[in-house]
Amino acid sequence: VRFLRENSLSLFFGALLLASVAGQSVAGQHQYNADATEHGEKAISWTQYVVTPEFGGDLLENWQSEFLQFSLYILATVWLLQRGSNESKELDEAGRESDKQQRVGQYAEEDSPAWAKAAGLRRWIYSNSLMLVMTAIFFLSWFGQSVNGWRAFNNTEDEHKSTRISYGEYLVNADFWDRTLQNWQSEFLAIGTMAVFTIYLRQRGSPESKPVGAPHDETASSG
Amino acid sequence: LGQPRCQRNLGSAPPADHTSSLAAVRLVFTAYVVLIAVGLVFYIAIGITNQ
Protein backbone atom coordinates (compact mmCIF):
# COMPACT_ATOMS: atom_id res chain seq x y z
CA VAL A 1 0.00 0.00 0.00
CA ARG A 2 2.81 2.36 0.87
CA PHE A 3 4.59 1.46 -2.38
CA LEU A 4 1.43 2.31 -4.34
CA ARG A 5 0.91 5.61 -2.54
CA GLU A 6 4.49 6.83 -2.80
CA ASN A 7 4.72 5.94 -6.49
CA SER A 8 1.11 6.50 -7.54
CA LEU A 9 1.88 9.22 -10.10
CA SER A 10 4.37 7.09 -12.08
CA LEU A 11 2.29 3.91 -11.73
CA PHE A 12 -0.88 5.69 -12.87
CA PHE A 13 0.75 7.03 -16.03
CA GLY A 14 2.60 3.76 -16.65
CA ALA A 15 -0.72 1.89 -16.52
CA LEU A 16 -2.36 4.46 -18.83
CA LEU A 17 0.55 4.07 -21.26
CA LEU A 18 0.24 0.27 -21.40
CA ALA A 19 -3.55 0.43 -21.79
CA SER A 20 -3.29 3.05 -24.55
CA VAL A 21 -0.62 1.13 -26.47
CA ALA A 22 -2.76 -2.02 -26.20
CA GLY A 23 -5.79 -0.10 -27.50
CA GLN A 24 -3.74 1.50 -30.27
CA SER A 25 -2.45 -1.88 -31.40
CA VAL A 26 -5.95 -3.40 -31.58
CA ALA A 27 -7.45 -0.40 -33.39
CA GLY A 28 -4.40 -0.21 -35.67
CA GLN A 29 -4.67 -3.89 -36.56
CA HIS A 30 -8.33 -3.44 -37.55
CA GLN A 31 -7.47 -0.42 -39.68
CA TYR A 32 -4.53 -2.27 -41.26
CA ASN A 33 -6.69 -5.29 -42.09
CA ALA A 34 -9.48 -3.14 -43.51
CA ASP A 35 -6.90 -1.59 -45.84
CA ALA A 36 -5.41 -4.97 -46.72
CA THR A 37 -8.83 -6.41 -47.58
CA GLU A 38 -9.57 -3.41 -49.79
CA HIS A 39 -6.36 -4.08 -51.70
CA GLY A 40 -7.15 -7.81 -52.01
CA GLU A 41 -4.45 -8.83 -49.51
CA LYS A 42 -4.54 -11.25 -46.57
CA ALA A 43 -5.49 -9.98 -43.12
CA ILE A 44 -2.83 -10.37 -40.39
CA SER A 45 -3.01 -11.34 -36.72
CA TRP A 46 -2.40 -8.99 -33.78
CA THR A 47 1.02 -10.57 -33.11
CA GLN A 48 1.97 -9.98 -36.76
CA TYR A 49 0.67 -6.40 -36.66
CA VAL A 50 2.67 -5.28 -33.62
CA VAL A 51 5.93 -6.07 -35.44
CA THR A 52 5.00 -4.15 -38.60
CA PRO A 53 6.73 -0.85 -39.44
CA GLU A 54 3.23 0.66 -39.70
CA PHE A 55 2.69 0.13 -35.96
CA GLY A 56 6.31 0.97 -35.04
CA GLY A 57 6.14 4.24 -36.99
CA ASP A 58 2.81 5.26 -35.44
CA LEU A 59 4.16 4.51 -31.96
CA LEU A 60 7.48 6.32 -32.31
CA GLU A 61 6.17 9.41 -34.12
CA ASN A 62 4.19 10.19 -30.99
CA TRP A 63 7.06 9.34 -28.67
CA GLN A 64 9.46 11.68 -30.45
CA SER A 65 7.16 14.67 -30.21
CA GLU A 66 6.57 14.17 -26.49
CA PHE A 67 10.28 13.94 -25.75
CA LEU A 68 10.98 16.95 -28.00
CA GLN A 69 8.36 18.88 -26.07
CA PHE A 70 9.92 18.15 -22.70
CA SER A 71 13.51 18.60 -23.93
CA LEU A 72 12.68 22.04 -25.29
CA TYR A 73 10.69 22.97 -22.22
CA ILE A 74 13.47 21.91 -19.86
CA LEU A 75 16.00 23.94 -21.84
CA ALA A 76 13.84 26.97 -22.69
CA THR A 77 12.72 27.49 -19.10
CA VAL A 78 16.35 27.93 -18.03
CA TRP A 79 16.44 31.29 -19.81
CA LEU A 80 12.95 32.20 -20.99
CA LEU A 81 10.34 33.64 -18.64
CA GLN A 82 6.61 34.23 -18.48
CA ARG A 83 5.50 36.77 -15.95
CA GLY A 84 2.70 35.39 -13.77
CA SER A 85 3.15 31.80 -14.94
CA ASN A 86 3.60 28.85 -12.62
CA GLU A 87 5.71 27.24 -15.37
CA SER A 88 8.27 30.05 -15.33
CA LYS A 89 11.08 30.79 -12.91
CA GLU A 90 11.02 34.02 -11.00
CA LEU A 91 11.86 36.97 -13.22
CA ASP A 92 15.29 37.62 -11.67
CA GLU A 93 16.39 33.99 -11.87
CA ALA A 94 16.83 33.54 -15.62
CA GLY A 95 19.92 31.55 -16.51
CA ARG A 96 21.83 28.61 -15.09
CA GLU A 97 21.93 30.05 -11.56
CA SER A 98 24.85 30.06 -9.14
CA ASP A 99 26.59 26.97 -7.70
CA LYS A 100 25.13 27.94 -4.34
CA GLN A 101 21.57 28.01 -5.65
CA GLN A 102 22.12 24.72 -7.45
CA ARG A 103 23.89 23.12 -4.46
CA VAL A 104 26.86 21.84 -6.49
CA GLY A 105 30.62 21.63 -5.87
CA GLN A 106 31.57 23.24 -2.57
CA TYR A 107 27.89 23.99 -1.90
CA ALA A 108 26.81 20.36 -2.28
CA GLU A 109 25.22 18.84 0.79
CA GLU A 110 26.03 15.57 2.50
CA ASP A 111 23.19 13.76 0.76
CA SER A 112 23.67 15.48 -2.62
CA PRO A 113 24.27 13.09 -5.56
CA ALA A 114 27.96 12.19 -5.93
CA TRP A 115 28.22 13.79 -9.37
CA ALA A 116 26.86 17.08 -7.98
CA LYS A 117 29.84 17.09 -5.61
CA ALA A 118 32.27 16.20 -8.40
CA ALA A 119 34.07 18.75 -10.57
CA GLY A 120 34.60 19.14 -14.31
CA LEU A 121 32.97 16.91 -16.90
CA ARG A 122 31.12 14.71 -14.43
CA ARG A 123 29.40 17.69 -12.85
CA TRP A 124 28.59 19.17 -16.28
CA ILE A 125 27.05 15.91 -17.43
CA TYR A 126 25.00 15.52 -14.26
CA SER A 127 23.98 19.19 -14.33
CA ASN A 128 22.44 18.62 -17.77
CA SER A 129 21.50 14.94 -17.47
CA LEU A 130 17.73 15.40 -17.65
CA MET A 131 17.92 17.42 -20.85
CA LEU A 132 20.62 15.16 -22.35
CA VAL A 133 18.66 11.94 -21.77
CA MET A 134 15.31 13.39 -22.89
CA THR A 135 16.96 14.80 -26.05
CA ALA A 136 18.68 11.48 -26.79
CA ILE A 137 15.33 9.69 -26.51
CA PHE A 138 13.80 12.32 -28.82
CA PHE A 139 16.43 11.79 -31.54
CA LEU A 140 16.29 7.98 -31.23
CA SER A 141 12.46 8.00 -31.45
CA TRP A 142 12.56 10.37 -34.41
CA PHE A 143 15.09 8.14 -36.14
CA GLY A 144 12.86 5.14 -35.34
CA GLN A 145 9.87 6.98 -36.79
CA SER A 146 11.82 7.74 -39.96
CA VAL A 147 12.98 4.16 -40.67
CA ASN A 148 9.59 2.64 -39.83
CA GLY A 149 7.78 5.34 -41.78
CA TRP A 150 10.05 4.70 -44.75
CA ARG A 151 9.29 0.95 -44.72
CA ALA A 152 5.57 1.58 -44.31
CA PHE A 153 5.63 4.17 -47.12
CA ASN A 154 7.28 1.67 -49.45
CA ASN A 155 4.73 -1.01 -48.48
CA THR A 156 2.01 1.39 -49.66
CA GLU A 157 3.99 2.07 -52.84
CA ASP A 158 4.10 -1.71 -53.47
CA GLU A 159 0.33 -1.98 -52.95
CA HIS A 160 -0.18 0.75 -55.53
CA LYS A 161 2.43 -0.73 -57.88
CA SER A 162 4.44 2.51 -57.56
CA THR A 163 8.20 2.94 -57.32
CA ARG A 164 9.89 2.46 -53.94
CA ILE A 165 11.95 5.36 -52.59
CA SER A 166 15.29 5.40 -50.76
CA TYR A 167 15.66 6.32 -47.06
CA GLY A 168 17.23 9.64 -48.06
CA GLU A 169 14.30 10.41 -50.32
CA TYR A 170 11.86 9.58 -47.51
CA LEU A 171 13.56 12.11 -45.21
CA VAL A 172 12.54 14.92 -47.58
CA ASN A 173 9.20 13.34 -48.45
CA ALA A 174 5.97 15.10 -47.47
CA ASP A 175 4.75 11.98 -45.60
CA PHE A 176 7.65 12.16 -43.13
CA TRP A 177 7.24 15.87 -42.48
CA ASP A 178 3.46 15.71 -42.34
CA ARG A 179 3.68 13.04 -39.63
CA THR A 180 6.44 14.92 -37.81
CA LEU A 181 4.94 18.40 -37.84
CA GLN A 182 1.38 17.36 -37.02
CA ASN A 183 2.75 15.96 -33.77
CA TRP A 184 5.06 18.89 -33.04
CA GLN A 185 2.36 21.53 -33.47
CA SER A 186 0.13 19.94 -30.85
CA GLU A 187 2.98 19.71 -28.35
CA PHE A 188 3.96 23.34 -28.83
CA LEU A 189 0.34 24.41 -28.42
CA ALA A 190 0.02 22.39 -25.21
CA ILE A 191 3.16 23.73 -23.55
CA GLY A 192 2.51 27.31 -24.64
CA THR A 193 -1.01 26.99 -23.27
CA MET A 194 0.27 25.65 -19.93
CA ALA A 195 2.67 28.58 -19.66
CA VAL A 196 -0.08 31.11 -20.32
CA PHE A 197 -3.14 29.48 -18.69
CA THR A 198 -1.39 29.07 -15.32
CA ILE A 199 -1.22 32.86 -15.07
CA TYR A 200 -5.00 33.19 -14.60
CA LEU A 201 -6.38 29.69 -14.05
CA ARG A 202 -5.96 27.44 -11.00
CA GLN A 203 -6.28 23.84 -9.90
CA ARG A 204 -6.45 23.61 -6.16
CA GLY A 205 -3.89 21.12 -4.83
CA SER A 206 -1.92 20.65 -8.05
CA PRO A 207 1.79 21.53 -8.17
CA GLU A 208 1.17 22.42 -11.83
CA SER A 209 -0.93 25.36 -10.62
CA LYS A 210 -0.31 28.37 -8.45
CA PRO A 211 -2.20 28.33 -5.15
CA VAL A 212 -5.81 29.35 -5.76
CA GLY A 213 -5.38 32.64 -3.93
CA ALA A 214 -2.10 33.60 -5.57
CA PRO A 215 -2.29 36.89 -7.46
CA HIS A 216 -2.16 36.76 -11.26
CA ASP A 217 1.18 38.54 -11.45
CA GLU A 218 2.90 36.16 -9.04
CA THR A 219 5.44 34.14 -10.97
CA ALA A 220 6.74 30.66 -10.06
CA SER A 221 4.80 30.28 -6.85
CA SER A 222 4.80 26.46 -6.95
CA GLY A 223 8.39 25.56 -7.74
CA LEU B 1 6.81 36.41 -4.32
CA GLY B 2 10.05 35.50 -2.62
CA GLN B 3 8.86 32.11 -1.44
CA PRO B 4 11.61 29.48 -1.15
CA ARG B 5 11.90 27.05 -4.07
CA CYS B 6 10.27 23.75 -3.22
CA GLN B 7 12.47 21.13 -1.66
CA ARG B 8 10.55 17.89 -1.63
CA ASN B 9 11.86 14.67 -0.13
CA LEU B 10 10.51 11.24 0.64
CA GLY B 11 9.26 12.18 4.06
CA SER B 12 10.71 11.66 7.48
CA ALA B 13 10.38 7.88 7.70
CA PRO B 14 12.71 5.83 9.93
CA PRO B 15 15.99 4.74 8.25
CA ALA B 16 14.92 1.15 7.36
CA ASP B 17 11.62 2.31 5.87
CA HIS B 18 13.40 5.14 4.13
CA THR B 19 15.82 2.69 2.50
CA SER B 20 13.02 0.42 1.26
CA SER B 21 11.12 3.47 -0.01
CA LEU B 22 14.16 4.57 -1.97
CA ALA B 23 14.57 1.04 -3.37
CA ALA B 24 10.96 1.14 -4.54
CA VAL B 25 11.50 4.52 -6.20
CA ARG B 26 14.61 3.13 -7.92
CA LEU B 27 12.52 0.17 -9.13
CA VAL B 28 9.91 2.46 -10.69
CA PHE B 29 12.64 4.56 -12.31
CA THR B 30 14.32 1.44 -13.70
CA ALA B 31 11.01 0.13 -15.04
CA TYR B 32 10.50 3.35 -17.03
CA VAL B 33 14.08 3.26 -18.36
CA VAL B 34 13.75 -0.39 -19.41
CA LEU B 35 10.34 0.21 -21.02
CA ILE B 36 11.65 3.11 -23.09
CA ALA B 37 14.91 1.35 -24.02
CA VAL B 38 13.14 -1.86 -25.07
CA GLY B 39 10.54 0.07 -27.09
CA LEU B 40 13.21 2.11 -28.88
CA VAL B 41 15.59 -0.76 -29.61
CA PHE B 42 12.79 -3.12 -30.69
CA TYR B 43 11.08 -0.73 -33.09
CA ILE B 44 14.28 0.78 -34.47
CA ALA B 45 15.40 -2.80 -35.23
CA ILE B 46 12.06 -3.48 -36.97
CA GLY B 47 12.40 -0.31 -39.01
CA ILE B 48 15.95 -1.14 -40.03
CA THR B 49 15.45 -4.83 -40.83
CA ASN B 50 11.85 -5.06 -42.09
CA GLN B 51 11.69 -5.66 -45.85
Side-chain angles (χ1 to χ4, degrees), chain A residues 84 197-204 209-216:
Chain A
F197 276 17
T198 59
I199 302 171
Y200 298 109
L201 306 178
R202 308 281 187 272
Q203 176 53 57
R204 183 173 181 146
S209 166
K210 296 197 279 193
V212 179
H216 297 323

Side-chain angles (χ1 to χ4, degrees), chain A residues 2-3 6-7 10 13-14 17 50-53 55-56 59-60 63 67 90 93 97 103 137 140-141 143-144 147-148 151 207 218 221 223, chain B residues 1-8 10 13 17-18 20-22 24-25 27-28 32 35-37 39-40 42-44 46-51:
Chain A
R2 190 170 149 200
F3 171 77
E6 291 189 352
N7 299 283
S10 321
F13 281 104
L17 164 70
V50 293
V51 294
T52 59
F55 179 69
L59 188 81
L60 293 184
W63 281 28
F67 284 97
E90 287 182 31
E93 284 190 354
E97 303 182 7
R103 291 186 268 163
I137 297 172
L140 286 169
S141 317
F143 171 67
V147 284
N148 279 281
R151 300 292 191 193
E218 184 174 299
S221 37
Chain B
L1 282 167
Q3 293 181 4
R5 300 280 291 278
C6 299
Q7 293 178 17
R8 297 194 182 91
L10 293 167
D17 276 5
H18 188 69
S20 71
S21 271
L22 286 179
V25 169
L27 181 70
V28 172
Y32 266 79
L35 185 79
I36 292 166
L40 282 177
F42 186 74
Y43 283 106
I44 286 174
I46 282 175
I48 288 174
T49 58
N50 188 283
Q51 294 300 321

Side-chain angles (χ1 to χ4, degrees), chain A residues 57 59-71 134 137-146 176 179-184 187, chain B residues 40:
Chain A
L59 188 81
L60 293 184
E61 78 178 49
N62 285 280
W63 281 28
Q64 59 88 357
S65 63
E66 303 303 330
F67 284 97
L68 171 68
Q69 171 194 27
F70 278 109
S71 302
M134 298 293 272
I137 297 172
F138 157 64
F139 278 114
L140 286 169
S141 317
W142 200 20
F143 171 67
Q145 175 203 331
S146 70
F176 175 63
R179 287 167 173 274
T180 295
L181 293 171
Q182 68 173 279
N183 282 285
W184 286 6
E187 306 306 333
Chain B
L40 282 177

Side-chain angles (χ1 to χ4, degrees), chain A residues 10-110:
Chain A
S10 321
L11 294 173
F12 174 68
F13 281 104
L16 282 184
L17 164 70
L18 296 178
S20 303
V21 171
Q24 181 195 341
S25 68
V26 172
Q29 183 210 354
H30 278 79
Q31 178 63 38
Y32 184 96
N33 282 339
D35 254 23
T37 311
E38 231 174 70
H39 291 97
E41 287 169 9
K42 251 183 14 185
I44 61 171
S45 68
W46 181 83
T47 49
Q48 287 171 314
Y49 176 68
V50 293
V51 294
T52 59
E54 281 77 4
F55 179 69
D58 287 350
L59 188 81
L60 293 184
E61 78 178 49
N62 285 280
W63 281 28
Q64 59 88 357
S65 63
E66 303 303 330
F67 284 97
L68 171 68
Q69 171 194 27
F70 278 109
S71 302
L72 279 181
Y73 210 36
I74 292 161
L75 203 57
T77 50
V78 174
W79 291 282
L80 304 182
L81 305 163
Q82 175 55 59
R83 185 183 179 111
S85 175
N86 191 54
E87 298 296 315
S88 169
K89 296 205 284 188
E90 287 182 31
L91 301 178
D92 58 353
E93 284 190 354
R96 289 171 52 81
E97 303 182 7
S98 67
D99 285 359
K100 192 175 179 183
Q101 283 171 298
Q102 290 290 317
R103 291 186 268 163
V104 294
Q106 60 171 310
Y107 302 101
E109 290 159 8
E110 201 184 330

